[in-house]
Amino acid sequence: MEFEPGIEDLIEELDTGDSARVTAAVERLAAHGENALPRVLEAVCADQSSQRLKVYGEVLSRIGPPAFDAVLAAAGAGELDEWLRGRLLRFFDERCAGRYAALALDPDRWLSNVGYAGLLRLRVDSEAGLRALVEKAARGGDFYGEPGKYLHAMWDSYAPRLRELCRDPACSRPVRRGALGLLIEGGGLDALDERDRMLVERLVRVKLPGGVRAVPDTQLSAWWLAVPGATYEGVFEALGLHDPRPVTVQTGVAAAMCEEVRSPSPKDPARGISRAFVTPELDGWRLVFGQFRQLVGYDDWNDMVATVERVSAACGKAQLFFVDDAGGADIWFAAEDGRMVRQYAAEGGWDEDEDEDEDITGGVRDVCGDLSVDPDLVGVLDTVVRGHGWLAVTAPDMGHGQFPGLLPV
């Protein structure tokens, strides 16, 4: 391929190591614009060292949108591999914000993340970037990784406009739904106005019955508490839970599995807060799920013993189950009226049995159904369900509205 006169000489100048000559060559190559792109891309494929990538990235950045398109075209033609494409797409400035937003909507998840990473790096108040987030939310996409980071980075700018989109009668229903979802994703229920909060609460009430099959399974790892359905209210005080609200099983499980959020207090600047889910009554028992460190503690064995005894003192009976296939842990405890009556740990292969009930033996998956309820069989067999689930928080001053992230209903 023949190139415009002077381009070859400038490519050679980039390799001189003389900073002044390199800077001048970058500017002159960029001045050639699109005509320089084929040779620049050819050269960068030949030498992908960090220093060469930085220099050629400066040339591409100066050329701007045409270079962005050329990188994508070369990758589509198989001339650039995925790694090199990703590296080169990091160099462009705010002139390419719309192109990053278009990538963010690409069905290829890798390309989509590249788009959001570009938007995050630029932090440009971009209408196209906002629309990309709205469309992702409308499609039911998740906001882990770059999309979530971008939303939170631009939250102060985007939140007022999202509220406007929710109220704009000219917007399509998917756009309004996506905007509403983003408000909850970025700011929790506190980001909604009173009308939208009432609509969400009404939807929860409609869907409260049913859906018990959504309880977590015990594959790989799990932990949970079981308490009698007749006395379950005691679990809230025993675990330090506050502000219980009715929720569906699907919502409660998803909320309880979310990571803690930072909520500093005067007494504890490093305080973390999370949520706990208490299921509907299932065959006479209620199960409790949540973040282990928040609800049980960090001193695993001693804290498990103390927790199950404290909960049993409040509820009459309590069992705590902990299973971790990867780590080899298979542990359960049963307590009554504040006193441990049985405990089992597979690591040591021992089983203390103070009530001498030899019919109940084995690890967590063997005995949980005999002691109370087997989560893996809830909704599979004929499970007698009464009442609804509750979602509570681990601090009295937190409320539910500050937890970001969409939850299924």
Side-chain angles (χ1 to χ4, degrees), residues 136-363:
K136 183 177 181 66
R139 294 199 311 255
D142 66 68
F143 284 83
Y144 296 107
E146 304 303 323
K149 293 177 184 177
Y150 175 57
L151 172 63
H152 290 288
M154 301 302 297
W155 177 250
D156 290 341
S157 174
Y158 285 170
R161 289 150 68 185
L162 289 171
R163 295 187 184 96
E164 292 175 4
L165 289 176
C166 287
R167 291 285 170 264
D168 188 350
C171 290
S172 66
R173 186 172 182 180
V175 168
R176 295 198 302 270
R177 183 173 63 247
L180 181 65
L182 280 178
L183 284 171
I184 299 174
E185 178 69 41
L189 291 178
D190 282 353
L192 303 183
D193 61 24
E194 184 177 357
R195 175 179 176 274
D196 284 334
R197 283 197 296 270
M198 290 177 61
L199 289 175
V200 171
E201 291 171 0
R202 183 185 305 169
L203 179 61
V204 169
R205 288 195 297 271
V206 168
K207 294 197 172 186
L208 277 178
V212 294
R213 187 67 198 102
V215 298
D217 62 36
T218 63
Q219 299 307 307
L220 297 181
S221 64
W223 85 275
W224 69 96
L225 281 160
V227 296
T231 56
Y232 79 95
E233 290 95 338
V235 80
F236 296 110
E237 183 174 355
L239 294 179
L241 300 175
H242 305 270
D243 195 13
R245 296 186 182 182
V247 291
T248 66
V249 172
Q250 194 173 15
T251 300
V253 168
M257 296 300 105
C258 289
E259 295 295 328
E260 68 177 47
V261 299
R262 309 308 296 173
S263 179
S265 67
K267 293 183 178 180
D268 184 6
R271 182 178 68 164
I273 302 298
S274 64
R275 294 172 286 194
F277 172 55
V278 181
T279 70
E281 184 176 315
L282 309 170
D283 289 337
W285 295 83
R286 291 198 181 230
L287 308 182
V288 183
F289 298 94
Q291 292 297 310
F292 184 87
R293 302 301 184 197
Q294 290 277 319
L295 300 183
V296 179
Y298 290 85
D299 184 0
D300 293 354
W301 184 268
N302 292 328
D303 283 339
M304 284 192 284
V305 171
T307 298
V308 73
E309 289 184 338
R310 184 171 65 254
V311 172
S312 75
C315 300
K317 293 183 178 181
Q319 295 126 31
L320 191 155
F321 303 95
F322 183 95
V323 59
D324 180 1
D325 294 334
D330 194 343
I331 304 167
W332 57 266
F333 305 87
E336 296 181 7
D337 299 322
R339 183 179 66 89
M340 188 71 66
V341 295
R342 294 192 64 185
Q343 53 189 2
Y344 172 93
E347 297 101 329
W350 51 265
D351 180 357
E352 290 189 3
D353 189 354
E354 296 185 16
D355 63 3
E356 299 182 355
D357 183 356
E358 297 182 357
D359 293 332
I360 302 178
T361 60

